[in-house]
Amino acid sequence: MEAQPCVLENEAAKVPPTSIVIFGATGDLTHRKIIPAIYHLEKEGRLDAGCAIIGYARRPKTDDEFRAELRQALGEVSRSKPVDETIWRRLANRIYYQQGDLLDEQGYQQLAARLQALPESARFGQTHLFYLATAPEYFGPIAERLARAGLTPLPGSPAPRRLIVEKPFGRDLSSAQELNRILHTHFPEDSIFRIDHYLGKETVQNLLYFRFGNSIYEPLWNRRYIDHVQITVAEKLEVGRRGGYYDSAGALRDMLQNHIFQLLTLIAMEPPASLRAAAIHAEKLKVLQSIALPAEDELLARSVRAQYAAGAIDGRPIPAYCQEPGVAPHSKTETFVAWKLEVDNWRWSGVPFYVRTGKALARQFTEINIVFNRPPSVLFAAVCGQRLSRNVLRIRIQPNEGIQWIFNAKLPGRQAIHEVGMDFFYRKDSSQYLPEAYERLLVDALVGDATLFMRSDEVEAAWGIVDRLREAWDRQPIPDLPLYQPGALGPAEADALLERDQRHWRNGDEG
Ligand code: BG6
């Protein structure tokens, strides 16, 4: 008989009455992620009837126009189809629009007055969650204006006032420190929720449960048994309409500083003292602090940057990155990065962590491969030579979320050995529903649980590492950035990075 699940505290808790104020309310993120997440929380009965949603943006618009716009966008998000009109109407009655400029002080005074006048204010009182879904240059100015309008946390008040900050959180260490300084002037650290949406993904959360909820992995999880670790976040989509932002970011800032480092810390961290946010953040921070960076020449030799050329993926023409709208015609921004990192601590010393990410690649997949030491071949040398395949634990973050062990077994009917896979895939069991990352993150921010958000010191440590590579790149500009064909898995240089160490990338469709 199957054991009953052990349910952690907070699960299925109703979120307390809160006003959720979204800055950047007419943007893509609000339409595609935030409102659909709120709708699903309403549907699951997680939102208290005293929760109101207020969109704040520049364009004049009535509440009804705003609601109609959100309803239309909701219908286009596949997970929400078909939209349950009864639920939507119940939610839409508590959605409001407040017109105002992000920099205009008066707008914030009007917002404060509007919050008090809403019918739900009798329930949410002074409890507010401010969601900054705007361009990053507004994060600091919004916090300052909220403070002047009396909307920041009140000393001694039991009513929480919290801030969700979207990425990017700074563009290097000094800008992240400056942003932290401004935010901390008005909000204590435990009221600031910095989003990395990868932490909201079920399979990413499962890394902790998988590692620390089983007894068989821990003895193997170290330099004695593990040869190396690979983390790949491959995207099939090209930069598309986001060229303006992306050209000043690049793959290193856009994906590696946040998402890839979060995956790496969850794989490499020591068991935390508890599942509380502070204990988990402390262990993740130690991993980042243990990343050893070599001298500049070696740092450059361990990294690969490249850009996609013109080509096609599955017959769909793809312009060269430099011809994408919003991108400088001679841009040297990388759309692909690979890096060999070392976590130089007692557990991992000598175990390389190879990471890579890129756009316009052959397949969309995010995967972590833990590659174990090669078994001695003595017994099977006659059939397989000196090189038995290594055992691999393949953790599939998306799509086809799951976990697979790859090991050697006898080929039936033959005196031969081959690799086989033993797997668990979430979607084999259709009753397994994987909630969207934003649903989980919103609930956690509403109840004040910061475990799945990035703490200030973590963000700064991650920037410190990325800055070292960025500065090395800037000091040694290469006249010709390597190009790769759309639909490939990056440039040949990325393959060479592993081949030098007699290793190869695992490309998602193997095993
Ligand atoms: C975002 C990046 O943080 O993550 C995008 O800015 C990227 O460039 C996206 O496409 C990937 O997220 P996901 O959930 O689709 O893997």
Side-chain angles (χ1 to χ4, degrees):
M1 210 182 81
E2 233 181 76
Q4 287 301 306
C6 303
V7 179
L8 298 178
E9 84 188 272
N10 257 345
E11 224 222 38
K14 229 186 178 142
V15 303
T18 308
S19 79
I20 306 172
V21 181
I22 307 172
F23 292 96
T26 47
D28 210 36
L29 190 73
T30 306
H31 286 167
R32 281 190 310 109
K33 299 287 182 188
I34 305 174
I35 291 297
I38 292 177
Y39 163 79
H40 284 284
L41 294 177
E42 176 73 19
K43 196 167 168 187
E44 282 151 28
R46 305 282 310 264
L47 282 192
D48 188 279
C51 286
I53 294 93
I54 302 95
Y56 183 98
R58 196 167 34 87
R59 272 171 257 162
K61 201 175 290 208
T62 64
D63 289 342
D64 280 338
E65 283 165 350
F66 183 50
R67 291 167 185 160
E69 189 182 290
L70 297 179
R71 169 64 189 82
Q72 190 188 341
L74 185 65
E76 288 159 15
V77 174
S78 57
R79 193 172 114 57
S80 312
K81 285 182 195 162
V83 176
D84 181 327
E85 291 303 337
T86 315
I87 308 265
W88 169 251
R89 270 197 305 277
R90 201 169 67 207
L91 177 65
N93 281 333
R94 286 144 47 210
I95 297 183
Y96 307 93
Y97 184 77
Q98 178 65 32
Q99 191 256 326
D101 192 282
L102 290 174
L103 297 177
D104 175 22
E105 302 282 344
Q106 233 192 353
Y108 290 75
Q109 305 291 344
Q110 286 161 355
L111 173 66
R114 181 85 192 272
L115 284 171
Q116 284 207 331
L118 294 180
E120 292 77 17
S121 82
R123 302 282 297 274
F124 66 69
Q126 299 296 317
T127 303
H128 307 305
L129 175 68
F130 300 106
Y131 198 129
L132 310 191
T134 64
E137 59 267 29
Y138 293 110
F139 296 164
I142 293 174
E144 286 163 348
R145 283 158 181 75
L146 285 171
R148 288 197 282 272
L151 289 170
T152 45
L154 303 167
S157 159
R161 290 164 169 199
R162 303 188 174 109
L163 199 64
I164 296 188
V165 190
E166 268 295 334
K167 65 168 284 236
F169 196 90
R171 50 177 286 110
D172 53 20
L173 175 58
S174 64
S175 55
Q177 282 170 328
E178 175 59 8
L179 184 52
N180 275 328
R181 191 191 61 72
I182 297 174
L183 297 185
H184 284 151
T185 311
H186 308 295
F187 289 85
E189 176 63 22
D190 64 4
S191 303
I192 304 173
F193 296 77
R194 298 174 193 80
I195 292 245
D196 182 318
H197 76 280
Y198 266 55
L199 291 176
K201 292 183 191 272
E202 272 297 313
T203 39
V204 175
Q205 292 168 45
N206 186 44
L207 292 174
L208 278 184
Y209 289 67
F210 175 76
R211 280 194 59 198
F212 303 125
N214 293 296
S215 57
I216 57 173
Y217 306 116
E218 176 54 25
L220 306 178
W221 212 261
N222 58 56
R223 59 194 298 272
R224 291 182 59 200
Y225 299 97
I226 294 177
D227 178 74
H228 72 278
V229 177
Q230 299 184 11
I231 302 177
T232 299
V233 182
E235 295 193 272
K236 197 166 175 178
L237 283 181
E238 66 277 25
V239 166
R241 287 184 298 143
R242 295 174 71 227
Y245 148 75
Y246 194 88
D247 205 35
S248 65
L252 189 63
R253 289 191 176 104
D254 184 51
M255 298 293 283
L256 207 131
Q257 184 271 345
N258 38 67
H259 308 326
I260 289 195
F261 274 0
Q262 288 299 326
L263 298 177
L264 188 150
T265 53
L266 288 168
I267 288 295
M269 68 190 265
E270 295 300 313
S274 74
L275 284 181
R276 302 218 171 278
I280 293 176
H281 288 307
E283 295 305 335
K284 288 167 71 188
L285 180 63
K286 280 194 230 163
V287 173
L288 294 172
Q289 289 168 335
S290 303
I291 290 184
L293 297 174
E296 190 154 306
D297 282 353
E298 182 58 17
L299 190 59
L300 291 169
R302 290 183 186 190
S303 69
V304 172
R305 50 185 151 157
Q307 202 180 73
Y308 61 83
I313 302 181
D314 301 339
R316 186 171 59 90
I318 309 280
Y321 172 71
C322 283
Q323 282 148 21
E324 296 276 18
V327 172
H330 301 290
S331 171
K332 294 268 185 269
T333 298
E334 77 288 351
T335 60
F336 176 96
V337 60
W339 196 359
K340 175 184 174 183
L341 287 158
E342 273 179 7
V343 180
D344 202 13
N345 63 14
W346 194 258
R347 187 186 286 268
W348 295 111
S349 180
V351 178
F353 282 71
Y354 300 99
V355 303
R356 64 177 168 167
T357 184
K359 297 216 180 270
L361 300 182
R363 283 183 289 289
Q364 173 89 17
F365 71 99
T366 298
E367 210 173 272
I368 301 168
N369 282 276
I370 316 283
V371 183
F372 287 82
N373 290 339
R374 205 183 284 287
S377 298
V378 276
L379 297 180
F380 300 101
V383 286
C384 66
Q386 290 305 316
R387 294 171 73 80
L388 273 178
S389 298
R390 299 173 187 281
N391 300 147
V392 180
L393 178 64
R394 175 184 180 206
I395 303 174
R396 184 77 174 196
I397 302 294
Q398 62 185 19
N400 307 329
E401 294 83 353
I403 293 176
Q404 186 178 42
W405 267 110
I406 298 166
F407 57 99
N408 295 313
K410 183 177 180 303
L411 189 62
R414 301 262 314 274
Q415 290 216 330
I417 193 163
H418 72 150
E419 275 188 349
V420 292
M422 190 167 70
D423 52 49
F424 151 71
F425 284 108
Y426 286 81
R427 293 198 202 271
K428 266 191 195 158
D429 173 0
S430 54
S431 66
Q432 299 258 26
Y433 148 70
L434 295 183
E436 283 279 315
Y438 276 85
E439 290 169 37
R440 171 66 197 262
L441 295 175
L442 254 170
V443 168
D444 283 5
L446 283 159
V447 300
D449 180 350
T451 313
L452 299 179
F453 295 83
M454 296 189 292
R455 204 170 65 179
S456 57
D457 46 8
E458 234 181 298
V459 178
E460 291 180 11
W463 277 124
I465 299 162
V466 159
D467 280 2
R468 282 282 303 279
L469 182 57
R470 165 72 47 200
E471 285 157 13
W473 283 353
D474 289 348
R475 265 193 292 274
Q476 301 209 20
I478 34 179
D480 297 310
L481 203 58
L483 296 176
Y484 59 95
Q485 285 305 308
L489 274 170
E493 285 82 349
D495 295 334
L497 182 70
L498 268 71
E499 280 157 18
R500 274 208 299 273
D501 298 343
Q502 282 86 50
R503 297 179 176 118
H504 68 275
W505 288 108
R506 302 194 64 91
N507 286 335
D509 54 350
E510 298 173 41

